[in-house]
Amino acid sequence: MSRTPANSARVVVIGAGIVGCSLADELTARGWTDVTVLEQGPLPAPGGSTSHAPGLVFQTGPSRTMTEFAAYTVRKLGSLEVDGLPCFNAVGGLEVATTEARWADLHRKAGLAASWGVRGELLTPGQCKRLWPMLDESKLFGGLHTPDDGLARAVLACRAQRERAASRGARFLERHTVTGIERADGHVTGVVTDRGTFPADHVVSAAGFWGPVIGAMAGVDVPLLPLAHQYATTAPLPELAGVNDPRTEASKPILRFQDRDLYFREHTDRLGIGSYAHRPMPVDPFTVPAFDDAPVMPSSLPFTEDDFAPSWQDSVGLLPALGASEVADGFNGVFSFTPDGMPVLGESRDLRGFWLAEAVWVTHSAGVAKAVAEWMTDGRPAVDIHECDLNRFEDAQRSPAYIADRGARSFVEVYDVIHPLQPMEQPRPLRTSPFHPRQQELGAYFLEGGGWERPHWYEANAPLAEGLELPPRDAWSARYWSPIAAAEAKATRERVALYDMTPLRRLEVTGPGALAFLDAMTSNNLRKKPGAVTYTLLLDETGGIRSDLTVARLGTDRFQVGANSPADLDWLLRHAPGEGVQIRDITSGTCCIGVWGPLARDLVQPLTRDDFSHEGFGYFRAKQTYLGHVPVTAMRLSYVGELGWELYTTADLGLRLWDTLWEAGQQHGVLAAGRSAFNSLRLEKGYRAWGTDMTDEHDPYEAGVGFAVRLDKEFTGRAALEGKQTPARKLTALLLDDPAANVLGKEPVFLDGTPAGYVTSAAYGYTLGRCVAYAWLPALPAGTAVHIEYFGEKVPATVADEPLFDPKMTRIRR
C-alpha cells in the first residue's frame, strides 16, 4: 500500500461528525496537515447522528478490537474540554439483570472486561440500588458496574478536536454538499461540491448514514443500513431535583436494562430513555432531507408514541418513580447498522485513495479515527481490524436485500445474549456446498459462517454416541453442541470420516510471474517442484500475520492457494504486478472433501490408478488424478492430525465425488463428520485458526508458526522479524485440570491471581479427555498453573507442551 509523505498529502474528509472531526485531529497530529473537512450542514451540529447521540460509552464487548476503540475514545475524550466543560463524564456504567440468563451473561461479560483490561465488578441488587436509588431491587438478580465508562458529549468533543486540528492547518467548511467524486486511472483525484471542487490524494467518507450515498458517487459499495432508534425524555423528576450539576448533566452510571432493550441516562433533572425494543425502522439514505428541509434535523424523525408505549411500561416496572411522570419529548434518531454490527473501514482497491470510516458510533469514534489515521500514514493500524475491514464481506453478503435483512437483525440483536456459535436466522440457506442434499439426508445440524451452511454434526451418527462416557456440560457450553461430535471425533481417530471443507477459500494464481510474486509475498520457501504443497504466512511490513496460506504448486506457473477471507484476495490483488500474474477466487466453482482417519488410504487407493502410498504420495504433496469418474486435485494435508487427503473437484462433480467416497467407504465404516469434531481434533494437534488464534497483532514466533518462516529469502515483513525468535509472549496451550470443565474462548486467564492474558480457541479434546484451550500469555514453562475465569468461576488449568496429541506426527506420516 502506497504511503504519502507528511505535509504533501491532500486529504478531504466528507462529514464533520464525531468521526470526521476525530480523524482530522488524528491526521494533523501525525503531520498530515493539508486536511479539508466538508460538511453539508451547519457547524457545530450539522444534523447527522452525532448531533443527537446520547453519548453512551460502554467499553466491554465480545470484540477485543471494538473494546480497544472504545477505551481509546474514553482516554482521548476524557482529556478534552471546551470552555471548562469536559467532553467526557466518567459516571460509569451499570448493567442490571432481571433474568437468570442475563445474570449469567453479566458474569461472562465481567470475564470479557477482565480479558480486555476494563475495570468491572459484579454487584448485588442492594449495591445496584445504592448506585441507582430509583431501582426496584426486588426485580434484580444483580448488576455489572464498570466505573470507567460514561457519557461522551459528542458535539462538544467535535468542537475540541476541530479547533485542535484547525490550529495545525486543517480547515472545516460547512454548507458544502458533496455531489461527486472525481477519479483518474483508478485513483481518487477530488471531491465535487455545490460550492466548488476540492483536489485530493485521499478522500475519506465519514458521512455516517449517508455513507451509501457517497459510496455510490465513488462506485464503492458501503454495506450499511440506516435505522431509526427511539429516544425519549421524561418530565422533570422530583427524585433528581437539585442532584446534578447542569454543566455535566449526570452523576449516576448509565443504566442498561437489556432484558427489555432499554437504557437510561440523566439529563440534569430528567431521564433520557433509549429503546431498541421496537420494530426495525429502516431509512433510505438517498431520501433523507437536507438540513434546511428537515423539521428538526436530518437525523431526527418524528417520535412514534405507539412503538414506545411498551417500553414506557417496562421502564416504570424497573424504575417505579416513573409511574408519576410522563414522556415529555422524544424523537426517532437515525444511525447506521451493518450486516454483522461492525464498522466498515479501509481503502477501496477499485478506487485507490478512497477510504471508508462508516457505521461508527460515538462509543468507538476516536479509536476508529486513530486506526484509520495510522492506516493512512503508516500503512497499517496498530490494532487488528480484520473484523471491521470493508473487504470482509463475501459477494453474497453485499446485496441490498442481504444488507437490509441483516442490518435490521443487527438492530434487533443489539442487547440480545448472543452465543459465540449462534448462527444468523435469515437469509438461510444462502450458500450450500454440492454435498448439501446428502448432508440433509444424514440429518446434518447446520450452523452458518460467511453465508455457508456448515454441518456441525450429523444425527445419523447418534447411535455411535450411545454409551460414550462424557462429562456433563453446563448450559452455555451445551448450546450448539451434541455428544455426537465426540462419536465423530472418535471415528476419525479410529476409522475414517468425510469432512466438508468447501467453505475454505481457494484462490488460483497463474502466469509466468506467479512463483516470484507468491514467494516474495509469503514467508516460506515456495520455490519447489510442481506437486509440492507449502504452509506459509502472509505478513505485513511489521511482521504481523495477515493470514496463513496453504500454497500448492500444481504446475510450473499455476498455484492453488488455500486462504482465509476475502481480505486475502484483496491484499494479493493490491500487490500483484500489472502483468504476468492472474489471481482469481475459485471457491464458488469448486468443492472439497477432507478424507481423514487411519483407514483413509484403504478407502481412496482402490478408486484410483495412481499411487497413494506414503512413498508414492508423501505428506504436503499434491496430485491431479481421478477417483472413479471424478477428476480431483488431491493434497495430502491433515488439519485433524490423521492420515488423509483434501480432495478438490469442480462444483458440478461434487455430489458424484461424495457418492463415490461414501459407497467405497462403507466397508471401512466411513461416516460424515462435522465442524464440532473438526475443531476438537485440530486443537488437540495445536493447529492455529487465523483471525481467532492469531492476527496481524502477532508475529510468527509469538504465534508458534515460526517454522513457516525462512529468513534466508526476501519477503514482505522479513526485516521486522530479525531478532524476534525468542518472544516474551506466546500463544500457549492449556489443559484444564478438571475433566468436566469447559471454556469456549475469550475468557481471562489469571496467573498468580492477576489477569495475564485471554483464551482464543477452546474445545473439549475427546481423545485427551480434557478441554483444550489456547491463550495469549507471557512465555511460561510447561507445568505452570493458571486459572481461567468462566462465568465467575476460576477454573484451574496447566500450561502444556504442544502438540498435545501425537507429537512425533506418526499418525499423519504413515
Side-chain angles (χ1 to χ4, degrees):
M1 191 176 300
S2 63
R3 300 176 189 169
T4 308
N7 296 316
S8 64
R10 298 171 300 175
V11 181
V12 174
V13 178
I14 301 172
I18 189 67
V19 178
C21 291
S22 297
L23 181 58
D25 184 45
E26 295 288 339
L27 285 171
T28 55
R30 288 165 174 78
W32 281 27
T33 56
D34 190 351
V35 176
T36 301
V37 182
L38 302 175
E39 174 53 59
Q40 63 179 346
L43 295 175
S49 300
T50 298
S51 301
H52 72 245
L56 280 66
V57 179
F58 280 86
Q59 298 171 80
T60 306
S63 168
R64 178 174 171 270
T65 296
M66 296 298 278
T67 299
E68 289 278 339
F69 287 162
Y72 181 79
T73 301
V74 167
R75 293 195 300 273
K76 183 176 186 181
L77 270 56
S79 70
L80 299 176
E81 63 176 40
V82 177
D83 297 335
L85 295 176
C87 293
F88 183 78
N89 185 3
V91 293
L94 177 62
E95 302 176 54
V96 296
T98 60
T99 64
E100 290 186 3
R102 182 67 61 180
W103 184 226
D105 188 58
L106 291 185
H107 282 75
R108 183 177 70 97
K109 188 170 285 187
L112 289 172
S115 290
W116 313 146
V118 177
R119 287 199 303 157
E121 181 185 10
L122 291 166
L123 304 182
T124 66
Q127 290 172 315
C128 292
K129 187 171 180 64
R130 281 194 287 276
L131 286 175
W132 257 86
M134 293 169 64
L135 280 167
D136 180 355
E137 64 180 307
S138 70
K139 300 282 181 66
L140 306 182
F141 284 83
L144 173 63
H145 181 222
T146 46
D148 300 322
D149 292 336
L151 294 166
R153 306 179 76 164
V155 174
L156 206 63
C158 283
R159 179 181 162 191
Q161 294 178 94
R162 192 168 63 245
E163 290 176 354
R164 196 157 66 175
S167 72
R168 304 186 190 111
R171 56 177 177 166
F172 292 78
L173 303 178
E174 63 181 356
R175 300 288 189 173
H176 281 64
T177 299
V178 174
T179 58
I181 305 295
E182 291 189 333
R183 68 196 90 173
D185 300 322
H187 201 288
V188 70
T189 60
V191 178
V192 182
T193 76
D194 58 351
R195 299 176 65 177
T197 298
F198 297 83
D201 303 301
H202 298 271
V203 172
V204 185
S205 178
F209 61 80
W210 284 286
V213 178
I214 302 301
M217 296 178 192
V220 175
D221 287 337
V222 181
L224 68 80
L225 177 71
L227 287 150
H229 160 61
Q230 290 200 296
Y231 193 80
T233 307
T234 68
L237 299 170
E239 292 80 3
L240 296 181
V243 171
N244 296 313
D245 183 344
R247 288 166 53 85
T248 56
E249 292 190 332
S251 58
K252 295 180 184 62
I254 312 161
L255 180 64
R256 288 211 283 197
F257 181 22
Q258 292 166 302
D259 288 321
R260 291 293 183 269
D261 297 308
L262 292 167
Y263 63 83
F264 307 85
R265 59 150 293 181
E266 295 171 300
H267 292 280
T268 311
D269 61 349
R270 303 165 185 256
L271 279 188
I273 307 171
S275 172
Y276 293 98
H278 55 83
R279 59 190 169 91
M281 303 177 188
V283 175
D284 183 352
F286 291 88
T287 62
V288 173
F291 187 93
D292 293 328
D293 298 328
V296 180
M297 56 180 157
S299 63
S300 181
L301 304 181
F303 190 63
T304 49
E305 295 181 4
D306 289 346
D307 289 306
F308 193 75
S311 292
W312 177 253
Q313 293 305 314
D314 289 333
S315 300
V316 172
L318 183 70
L319 306 171
L322 294 182
S325 187
E326 63 182 356
V327 173
D329 193 14
F331 66 96
N332 291 359
V334 182
F335 62 141
S336 303
F337 283 82
T338 60
D340 57 6
M342 302 293 280
V344 180
L345 312 177
E347 182 190 25
S348 168
R349 187 183 72 254
D350 297 325
L351 183 57
R352 299 297 180 93
F354 184 80
W355 297 77
L356 296 179
E358 298 291 11
V360 182
W361 295 4
V362 172
T363 304
H364 311 104
S365 55
V368 164
K370 176 177 179 286
V372 173
E374 290 168 340
W375 207 343
M376 295 173 70
T377 59
D378 299 333
R380 59 154 285 174
V383 299
D384 165 51
I385 53 83
H386 81 273
E387 296 172 311
C388 311
D389 193 318
L390 66 89
N391 298 293
R392 69 188 182 272
F393 295 110
E394 305 281 349
D395 286 344
Q397 298 173 309
R398 289 183 170 275
S399 71
Y402 185 94
I403 293 167
D405 287 347
R406 294 303 307 151
R409 191 63 197 170
S410 292
F411 177 92
V412 171
E413 294 176 347
V414 162
Y415 281 171
D416 286 1
V417 177
I418 303 293
H419 192 277
L421 292 177
Q422 185 171 327
M424 67 179 186
E425 296 178 2
Q426 296 181 35
R428 289 184 65 191
L430 182 62
R431 307 175 79 186
T432 59
S433 81
F435 321 129
H436 192 251
R438 298 294 181 263
Q439 293 166 344
Q440 289 178 303
E441 292 168 6
L442 294 170
Y445 185 89
F446 293 100
L447 297 181
E448 177 272 339
W452 288 101
E453 294 296 313
R454 298 183 173 194
H456 273 243
W457 64 82
Y458 294 84
E459 290 296 330
N461 299 324
L464 300 177
E466 296 175 3
L468 289 181
E469 294 186 4
L470 298 173
R473 286 202 167 213
D474 64 277
W476 187 251
S477 67
R479 290 184 67 185
Y480 306 107
W481 174 84
S482 168
I484 296 171
E488 293 174 358
K490 186 173 187 289
T492 306
R493 292 278 189 238
E494 295 177 354
R495 301 195 305 276
V496 61
L498 306 184
Y499 288 82
D500 182 359
M501 306 303 289
T502 301
L504 298 184
R505 182 164 305 279
R506 292 171 291 286
L507 310 177
E508 183 180 72
V509 183
T510 57
L515 173 59
F517 169 65
L518 288 173
D519 197 52
M521 290 295 296
T522 64
S523 63
N524 212 337
N525 175 31
L526 300 186
R527 296 185 179 276
K528 302 171 183 176
K529 295 179 180 179
V533 182
T534 306
Y535 177 80
T536 187
L537 305 171
L538 202 61
L539 308 179
D540 62 25
E541 291 182 359
T542 71
I545 304 170
R546 284 194 57 90
S547 188
D548 61 341
L549 309 176
T550 302
V551 181
R553 191 175 189 185
L554 302 181
T556 302
D557 299 325
R558 186 163 72 92
F559 296 81
Q560 182 171 308
V561 178
N564 285 295
S565 79
D568 294 344
L569 174 62
D570 178 77
W571 181 260
L572 293 174
L573 288 171
R574 285 178 187 273
H575 292 84
E579 297 180 358
V581 178
Q582 294 80 45
I583 306 170
R584 67 188 186 103
D585 191 326
I586 61 171
T587 308
S588 298
T590 55
C591 57
C592 178
I593 300 177
V595 182
W596 291 310
L599 302 182
R601 184 175 289 116
D602 297 321
L603 190 161
V604 175
Q605 182 62 81
L607 299 174
T608 180
R609 295 181 181 181
D610 284 305
D611 184 0
F612 270 57
S613 68
H614 182 64
E615 295 74 20
F617 197 155
Y619 191 51
F620 269 87
R621 299 291 298 172
K623 280 187 180 181
Q624 292 177 288
T625 184
Y626 289 87
L627 295 184
H629 298 91
V630 182
V632 300
T633 297
M635 299 185 196
R636 190 168 168 200
L637 307 173
S638 175
Y639 287 94
V640 300
E642 296 294 336
L643 170 69
W645 289 265
E646 291 179 358
L647 303 173
Y648 299 88
T649 192
T650 52
D652 59 323
L653 290 166
L655 200 58
R656 185 59 178 262
L657 176 61
W658 179 282
D659 289 344
T660 299
L661 294 168
W662 186 258
E663 181 179 347
Q666 292 308 301
Q667 61 180 309
H668 304 295
V670 72
L671 53 68
R675 292 191 67 84
S676 186
F678 176 90
N679 200 43
S680 170
L681 297 170
R682 72 102 180 163
L683 281 173
E684 289 184 329
K685 283 299 292 179
Y687 293 140
R688 277 62 167 148
W690 184 85
T692 302
D693 299 318
M694 57 189 185
T695 70
D696 62 5
E697 290 188 18
H698 311 113
D699 72 47
Y701 304 110
E702 295 173 323
V705 289
F707 63 86
V709 176
R710 295 291 179 269
L711 292 176
D712 58 354
K713 62 165 242 183
E714 291 298 325
F715 59 90
T716 300
R718 178 192 176 281
L721 297 181
E722 294 283 359
K724 288 192 173 181
Q725 287 86 339
T726 308
R729 64 170 180 173
K730 292 179 65 177
L731 185 62
T732 304
L734 304 175
L735 277 175
L736 274 63
D737 296 351
D738 183 353
N742 276 289
V743 297
L744 296 184
K746 301 187 178 181
E747 298 88 358
V749 182
F750 290 77
L751 177 64
D752 297 329
T754 302
Y758 59 92
V759 174
T760 58
S761 295
Y764 198 83
Y766 302 109
T767 317
L768 301 173
R770 291 286 192 281
C771 182
V772 179
Y774 272 79
W776 279 103
L777 291 168
L780 300 170
T784 301
V786 299
H787 288 83
I788 303 172
E789 184 178 299
Y790 184 68
F791 286 92
E793 179 185 354
K794 297 293 197 302
V795 180
T798 303
V799 174
D801 284 324
E802 57 174 331
L804 303 171
F805 176 78
D806 188 26
K808 295 184 179 179
M809 304 284 282
T810 56
R811 298 176 71 89
I812 292 176
R813 302 177 187 275
R814 59 180 170 183

